[in-house]
């Protein structure tokens, strides 16, 4: 429930602190005093859009803060916990608006985007304005009111789920069908490329090995000649070779080391080099003797190597990447095959989703029809209590003939009313005046609020156009509603104001240069005086005072 509202430099308010009580609070005041100013300020705390003229003249900014008790409000506590803003059983919504129109929003001290104020605000309080009755003639609002009364959110969620599933599948099928021609052309090209690479069948890492074989075979004679020369230089030339020269040098240095020990290290290095040169010489000799030039093998290697290079050039990749490309094209071709399979299957999936949607929509329709009968009866009874004794109200739930799928189901929901005996049921805006629509709207709000409990409800002059016995009944209904939830009502009717457990009086003060709005909680005597003023106008009489006391006592 709403505990406190603090307003600083807002409109013609300099500073206000309002403490709110449980039950029903009524707000009254003179015409033009700004009775709705607290509601406007609260609306900004709940995320309403701010404009520049909300800041008091000659002030840099307006500051607004609303404090709520969330101890019994599990949805609000769940939201706050999810967003890491839970602070015991208290929630403070704060809004700072600069004179230039910039604003900052806070929840329990944490700065947040405006959308989060709106999200948490919907869980804390519900504001009904004096023009809300204009909404109930709109088809969407009529359906929403019925759904809220029926409390079948799970059925709405099922319909939405299967509707979105059907839409997604239908869109996918459309895209697959539209791209089918392009896909077939691409598939033919892929199939040709894959067949060509399948026929060549180059294996991973084969080209690197093939390239080595090709270079060796294509330069075979040159390699033979050069390795023979190298073998001769190293050890095979009997007249002069590296091995013999190195051995002779090592022996000479070794013999001299008897005279100078420092030569011993050099002799060891020469002996080590001799061992390595002898090994290398044997390797060269073995390579030369084992190298065979096979013209037939060379022809096959050359042909495969050249084909690999040509295919790589054709596909614009490096030859060593040709095997990877082959695998990539195979995978793409498989995807095209899966697209064709998907296109064949998707119609079955669409039909399944459509059938599931219809099942969910019919279940929703049954629930709506059942709730419509109950709500129609309740509203008809309330109309009689609100001085529309011959009124009759009917919520008509019918399915659209074309059965077009909609996210809200297959139903057309229409509110029909008759206000006079013998009058046919017609759309409300055709048979009801603005004041009558306002009373019907109020009846709906009271019934709906009693069904779907909101911690706090605000009625901002929804009783416009109501007077006498009807006003008294409105006051009783709001007072009855206040047994289950906090009710705040801005009113000009004494019959409604007298039903409040708490009454606030709004006044506008001016010194000729500055204007300021004040809000005062009235004492018992103050309430008598204010109710008498509402009854009699500016001139309060003994009769109006007596009537005021009678209203308050009732």
């Amino acid at each position: 429930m709403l505990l406190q509202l603090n307003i600083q430099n807002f409109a013609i308010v300099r500073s206000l602190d309002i403490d709110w009580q449980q039950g029903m609070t009524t707000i009254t005041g003179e015409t033009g005093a700004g009775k709705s100013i607290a509601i406007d300020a609260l609306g900004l705390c709940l995320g309403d859009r701010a404009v520049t003229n909300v800041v008091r003249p000659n002030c840099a900014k307006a500051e607004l803060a609303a404090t709520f008790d969330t101890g019994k409000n599990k949805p609000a506590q769940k939201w706050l916990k999810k967003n890491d803003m839970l602070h015991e059983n208290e929630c403070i919504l704060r809004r700072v608006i600069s004179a230039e129109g910039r604003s900052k929003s806070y929840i329990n001290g944490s700065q947040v985007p405006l959308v989060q104020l709106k999200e948490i605000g919907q869980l804390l309080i519900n504001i009904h304005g004096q023009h809300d009755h204009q909404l109930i003639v709109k088809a969407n609002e009529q359906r929403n009111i019925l759904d809220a009364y029926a409390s079948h959110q799970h059925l709405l969620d099922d319909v939405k789920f299967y509707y979105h599933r059907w839409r997604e599948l239908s869109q996918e099928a459309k895209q697959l069908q539209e791209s089918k021609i392009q896909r077939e052309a691409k598939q033919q090209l892929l199939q040709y490329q894959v067949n060509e690479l399948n026929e060549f069948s180059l294996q991973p890492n084969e080209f690197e090995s093939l390239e080595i074989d090709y270079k060796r075979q294509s330069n075979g004679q040159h390699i033979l000649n050069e390795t023979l020369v190298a073998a001769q230089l190293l050890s095979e030339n009997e007249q002069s070779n590296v091995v013999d020269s190195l051995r002779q040098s090592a022996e000479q240095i070794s013999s001299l080391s008897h005279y100078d020990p420092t030569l011993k290290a050099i002799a060891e290095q020469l002996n080590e080099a001799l061992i390595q040169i002898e090994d290398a010489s044997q390797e060269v000799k073995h390579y030369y003797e084992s190298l065979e030039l096979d013209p037939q093998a060379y022809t096959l290697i050359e042909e495969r190597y050249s084909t690999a290079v040509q295919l790589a050039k054709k596909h614009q990749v490096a030859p060593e990447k040709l095997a990877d490309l082959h695998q990539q094209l195979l995978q793409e071709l498989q995807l095209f095959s899966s697209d064709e399979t998907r296109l064949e299957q998707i119609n079955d999936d669409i039909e399944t989703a459509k059938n599931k949607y219809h099942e969910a929509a019919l279940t929703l329709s049954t629930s709506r029809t059942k709730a419509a009968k109950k709500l129609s009866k309740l509203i008809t009874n309330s109309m009689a209590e609100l001085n529309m004794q011959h009124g009759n109200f009917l919520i008509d739930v019918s399915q659209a003939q074309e059965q077009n799928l909609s996210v809200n189901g297959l139903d057309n929901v229409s509110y029909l009313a008759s206000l006079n005996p013998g009058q046919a049921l017609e759309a409300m805006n055709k048979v009801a005046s603005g004041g009558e629509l306002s009373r019907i709207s109020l009846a709906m709000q009271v019934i709906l609020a009693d069904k779907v409990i909101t911690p706090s409800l605000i009625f901002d002059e929804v009783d416009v156009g109501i007077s006498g016995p009807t006003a008294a009944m409105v006051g009783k209904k709001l007072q009855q509603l206040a047994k289950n939830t906090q009710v705040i009502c801005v009113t000009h009717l004494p019959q409604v104001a007298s039903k409040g457990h708490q009454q606030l009086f709004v006044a506008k003060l001016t010194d000729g240069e500055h204007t300021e709005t004040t809000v005062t909680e009235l004492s018992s005597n103050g309430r008598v005086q204010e109710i008498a003023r509402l009854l009699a106008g500016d001139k309060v009489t003994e009769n109006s005072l007596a009537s005021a006391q009678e209203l308050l006592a009732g």
Side-chain angles (χ1 to χ4, degrees):
M1 61 171 281
L2 178 63
L3 297 177
Q4 188 180 54
L5 180 64
N6 177 267
I7 306 174
Q8 302 290 329
N9 300 322
F10 174 68
I12 57 174
V13 173
R14 184 177 59 83
S15 179
L16 274 182
D17 279 300
I18 306 174
D19 294 320
W20 306 86
Q21 298 179 8
Q22 287 184 332
M24 180 175 172
T25 297
T26 57
I27 302 174
T28 61
E30 297 178 354
T31 302
K35 293 188 292 296
S36 297
I37 202 162
I39 310 305
D40 295 338
L42 184 59
L44 289 170
C45 289
L46 299 172
D48 286 352
R49 186 176 296 277
V51 292
T52 54
N53 60 2
V54 301
V55 179
R56 182 175 168 85
N58 302 318
C59 294
K61 61 183 178 180
E63 295 191 42
L64 314 163
T67 303
F68 295 86
D69 179 1
T70 59
K72 298 180 181 179
N73 190 335
K74 291 183 180 179
Q77 288 202 339
K78 182 179 179 181
W79 188 95
L80 291 167
K81 185 176 181 179
K82 179 183 176 182
N83 290 276
D84 297 323
M85 298 179 200
L86 185 62
H87 180 65
E88 297 181 348
N89 294 329
E90 192 174 73
C91 178
I92 301 175
L93 307 183
R94 181 166 165 260
R95 190 88 176 269
V96 180
I97 305 168
S98 71
E100 293 79 20
R102 296 187 300 271
S103 75
K104 294 181 180 179
S105 308
Y106 302 85
I107 300 176
N108 283 341
S110 299
Q111 187 169 351
V112 297
L114 192 62
V115 65
Q116 288 197 316
L117 278 188
K118 293 182 179 180
E119 288 176 3
I120 187 63
Q122 292 174 355
L123 303 175
L124 296 170
I125 201 163
N126 195 351
I127 299 178
H128 298 284
Q130 58 179 302
H131 300 296
D132 277 7
H133 68 272
Q134 297 173 0
L135 295 175
I136 65 172
V137 300
K138 298 182 182 297
N140 288 343
E141 185 66 16
Q142 292 178 354
R143 185 188 61 247
N144 291 338
I145 290 172
L146 178 60
D147 287 336
Y149 175 78
S151 299
H152 50 209
Q153 186 60 46
H154 61 293
L155 300 182
L156 290 167
D157 291 341
D158 287 346
V159 169
K160 288 178 182 178
F161 174 81
Y162 290 117
Y163 172 79
H164 288 304
R165 177 65 177 155
W166 169 78
R167 281 287 302 272
E168 289 168 2
L169 290 169
S170 299
Q171 187 64 29
E172 182 184 352
K174 182 180 178 182
Q175 291 174 350
L176 286 172
Q177 194 64 44
E178 288 177 349
S179 62
K180 186 175 182 179
I181 297 176
Q182 294 179 347
R183 193 167 60 251
E184 287 175 350
K186 176 71 173 177
Q187 188 176 11
Q188 288 177 358
L189 175 61
L190 273 175
Q191 188 64 64
Y192 169 78
Q193 293 173 323
V194 166
N195 290 342
E196 186 178 47
L197 294 174
N198 281 344
E199 184 178 352
F200 186 60
S201 189
L202 186 70
Q203 301 303 307
N205 301 319
E206 181 188 349
F207 180 79
E208 289 83 349
S209 176
L210 188 65
E211 187 174 32
I212 292 172
D213 291 341
Y214 171 74
K215 288 181 179 179
R216 182 171 58 247
Q217 290 289 338
S218 62
N219 295 280
Q221 191 59 53
H222 178 65
I223 293 172
L224 277 174
N225 295 338
E226 293 301 315
T227 52
L228 177 61
V229 171
Q232 292 289 331
L233 289 173
L234 288 171
S235 62
E236 297 304 308
N237 191 324
E238 296 180 356
Q239 296 180 356
S240 175
N241 61 71
V242 173
V243 171
D244 289 343
S245 298
L246 188 57
R247 182 180 294 112
Q248 182 179 357
S249 297
E251 291 174 351
Q252 289 175 341
I253 297 299
S254 179
S255 63
L256 293 175
S257 64
H258 295 293
Y259 305 109
D260 186 352
T262 58
L263 294 173
K264 186 177 180 179
I266 298 174
E268 290 176 353
Q269 287 179 319
L270 290 172
N271 282 320
E272 290 175 0
L274 177 61
I275 292 171
Q276 292 181 349
I277 294 299
E278 286 177 335
D279 289 344
S281 176
Q282 289 299 317
E283 291 292 333
V284 171
K285 183 179 178 180
H286 175 73
Y287 179 85
Y288 172 78
E289 292 175 348
S290 64
L291 183 62
E292 295 182 1
L293 298 182
D294 185 346
Q296 187 175 1
Y298 171 64
T299 299
L300 293 175
I301 292 170
E302 182 183 32
E303 180 180 347
R304 187 160 179 79
Y305 177 78
S306 298
T307 302
V309 171
Q310 290 171 3
L311 281 173
K313 185 177 182 180
K314 181 178 181 179
H315 291 279
Q316 298 180 343
V317 295
E320 57 270 18
K321 297 294 183 181
L322 194 60
D324 293 338
L325 175 66
H326 186 191
Q327 294 303 313
Q328 178 185 332
L329 294 178
L330 275 171
Q331 291 176 3
E332 289 184 23
L333 189 59
Q334 289 172 356
L335 287 176
F336 275 104
S337 299
S338 66
D339 281 347
E340 291 304 315
T341 304
R342 178 59 179 154
L343 190 56
E344 294 172 3
Q345 179 189 355
I346 198 168
N347 289 329
D348 292 336
D349 292 344
I350 291 172
E351 193 62 27
T352 299
K354 192 174 182 179
N355 290 336
K356 290 285 187 181
Y357 170 87
H358 278 284
E359 289 176 11
L362 289 174
T363 303
L364 175 62
S365 182
T366 301
S367 179
R368 280 175 172 161
T369 301
K370 184 178 179 180
K373 291 179 180 178
K374 293 180 180 179
L375 186 54
S376 296
K377 186 175 181 180
L378 287 172
I379 294 174
T380 297
N381 293 338
S382 291
M383 287 170 66
E385 293 174 347
L386 293 170
N387 201 26
M388 290 183 279
Q389 291 86 351
H390 302 293
N392 189 19
F393 189 88
L394 176 68
I395 300 177
D396 179 61
V397 179
S398 61
Q399 292 187 10
Q401 291 182 354
E402 295 182 1
Q403 296 284 293
N404 291 328
L405 275 63
S406 161
V407 71
N408 297 305
L410 299 172
D411 300 318
N412 290 326
V413 177
S414 302
Y415 287 9
L416 307 175
S418 169
L419 300 180
N420 301 301
Q423 184 182 40
L425 288 164
E426 292 190 66
M428 289 188 302
N429 59 326
K430 292 184 178 180
V431 298
S433 64
E436 288 166 335
L437 280 176
S438 181
R439 276 180 275 169
I440 295 173
S441 174
L442 180 59
M444 289 182 189
Q445 291 163 3
V446 172
I447 293 168
L448 191 63
D450 194 33
K451 176 78 174 179
V452 186
I453 296 299
T454 303
S456 299
L457 287 167
I458 294 179
F459 294 92
D460 186 8
E461 296 198 25
V462 295
D463 50 15
V464 171
I466 298 173
S467 61
T470 305
M473 180 53 66
V474 169
K476 288 181 181 179
K477 282 189 171 291
L478 291 172
Q479 190 181 53
Q480 181 182 4
L481 182 58
K483 293 178 181 179
N484 299 321
T485 185
Q486 182 186 39
V487 174
I488 298 168
C489 183
V490 178
T491 183
H492 66 286
L493 297 176
Q495 296 91 337
V496 174
S498 63
K499 297 301 180 184
H501 303 98
Q502 176 190 30
Q503 186 171 346
L504 304 178
F505 179 71
V506 180
K508 184 166 64 174
L509 307 176
T510 181
D511 60 4
E513 294 183 3
H514 303 92
T515 302
E516 183 176 339
T517 290
T518 62
V519 178
T520 307
E521 182 175 356
L522 295 177
S523 62
S524 297
N525 185 57
R527 293 193 69 183
V528 173
Q529 293 290 328
E530 173 61 5
I531 298 298
R533 184 191 68 80
L534 292 173
L535 285 166
D538 294 335
K539 190 175 181 180
V540 176
T541 64
E542 291 296 328
N543 289 336
S544 62
L545 288 171
S547 297
Q549 290 174 337
E550 184 178 350
L551 282 175
L552 288 166

